[in-house]
């Protein structure tokens, strides 16, 4: 039934973005309408507590191409995008944020590049309009990620991208709970490239990505794409053991051969702090992996949908 499938889906995660939605909707429809009349826009309301749902429903009432998925609570950015991708039916899909930092006007260029036989085309933000803190932390995170994984994740790319149906289908088969979507998309291995895109300032409101959420995403990214940190613990253990054995040998030598008593409260305390610090750090790293294994084996659904609205009204 490919005749009835939309040419293009646009998936947008939304969390308390009431001030941005009208501007986003009008700019997006103006752009997409020129590309194809056969599109769908899927807004995923990730547990917003403001007027987001009301505004989204007003778009759906006006425009049958708009669909609104409402989560029961806040499940997180990458989970919201996952739900939109699971639900979308387009031959290709654009994913973008709702705050107009990703510019709808750049979508045609992403699609043009895709026509050159790419399955994934992501935007590379040339003029990144984020706070210095966000830029610094994300540079730091991506630099570490690149060292730990073999994936080529562009330091200036975010979620804004277009991908083909076969990428969307591959993603649907990846059921991991602690999701790092950019990594998963890259993992599919389909031909991918990036093009420079304009990046805007957040149109209104404040970032919905707290530092804790960013850290969570970073840990998800590391743990789901690399086991190197576990290897590093092993190396650290070997190094500390070598130093300890050498120090122990030296102390025994001092005592037995030179006849000098063991002295030094300071050295004992320093060693104690150092070793317990290393042990706690190692436990933390192991804990991060075990916690994620635990979450995964519980096998709960990734998200819970309260309602899906499409007009003419169909509730699934
Ligand atoms: N978002 C979401 N769930 C969350 C946090 C954010 O769906 O728990 C959405 C948010 O509404 C926006 C996108 O994800 O559309 C990116 O969030 P934001 O712009 O606040 O992140 P930043 O650009 O500051 O990193
Ligand atoms: Mg943003």
């Amino acid at each position: 039934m490919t005749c009835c499938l939309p040419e293009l889906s646009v998936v947008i995660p939304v969390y308390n973005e009431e001030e941005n939605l009208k501007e986003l909707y009008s700019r997006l429809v103006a752009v997409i309408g020129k590309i194809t009349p056969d599109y769908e826009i899927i807004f995923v309301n990730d547990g917003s507590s403001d007027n987001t749902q009301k505004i989204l429903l007003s778009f759906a009432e006006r425009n049958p191409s708009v669909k609104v998925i409402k989560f029961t609570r806040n499940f997180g950015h990458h989970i919201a995008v996952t739900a939109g991708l699971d639900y979308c039916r387009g031959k290709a899909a654009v994913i973008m944020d709702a705050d107009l930092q990703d510019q709808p006007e750049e979508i045609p260029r992403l699609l043009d590049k895709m026509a050159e036989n790419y399955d994934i085309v992501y935007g590379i933000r040339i003029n990144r309009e984020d706070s210095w803190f966000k830029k610094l932390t994300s540079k730091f995170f991506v630099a570490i990620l690149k060292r730990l994984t073999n994936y080529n994740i562009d330091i200036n790319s975010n979620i804004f991208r277009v991908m083909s149906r076969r990428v969307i289908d591959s993603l649907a088969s990846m059921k991991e709970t602690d999701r790092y979507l950019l990594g998963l998309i890259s993992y599919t291995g389909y031909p991918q490239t990036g093009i420079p895109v304009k990046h805007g300032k957040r149109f209104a409101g404040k970032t919905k990505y707290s530092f804790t959420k960013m850290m969570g995403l970073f840990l998800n990214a590391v743990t789901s794409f690399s086991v190197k940190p576990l290897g590093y613990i092993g190396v650290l253990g070997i190094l500390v053991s070598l130093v300890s054995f050498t120090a122990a040998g030296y102390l025994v030598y001092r005592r037995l051969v030179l006849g000098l008593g063991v002295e030094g409260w300071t050295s004992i305390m320093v060693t104690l702090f150092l070793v317990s610090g290393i042990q706690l750090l190692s436990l933390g790293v192991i804990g991060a992996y075990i916690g994620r294994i635990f979450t995964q084996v519980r096998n709960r659904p990734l998200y819970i949908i309260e309602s899906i609205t499409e007009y003419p009204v169909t509730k699934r």
Side-chain angles (χ1 to χ4, degrees), residues 78-102:
H78 287 216
I79 303 276
V81 175
T82 302
L85 289 173
D86 286 346
Y87 188 72
C88 80
R89 295 176 311 142
K91 292 177 189 161
V94 175
I95 50 180
M96 65 188 294
D97 290 343
D99 58 354
L100 285 160
Q101 289 200 274
D102 304 331

Side-chain angles (χ1 to χ4, degrees), residues 12-17 44 46 74-78 80 96-99 101 125 128 130 134 199 202 206-209 213-214:
I12 307 180
V14 190
Y15 181 49
N16 291 338
E17 302 282 9
V44 185
D46 185 15
N74 181 245
F75 280 86
H77 182 206
H78 287 216
M96 65 188 294
D97 290 343
D99 58 354
Q101 289 200 274
R125 298 169 287 187
R128 189 162 169 190
D130 281 318
K134 186 154 280 231
H199 190 232
R202 179 172 249 284
K206 289 207 174 95
T207 177
K208 303 300 173 311
Y209 249 98
K213 276 189 178 170
M214 256 164 70

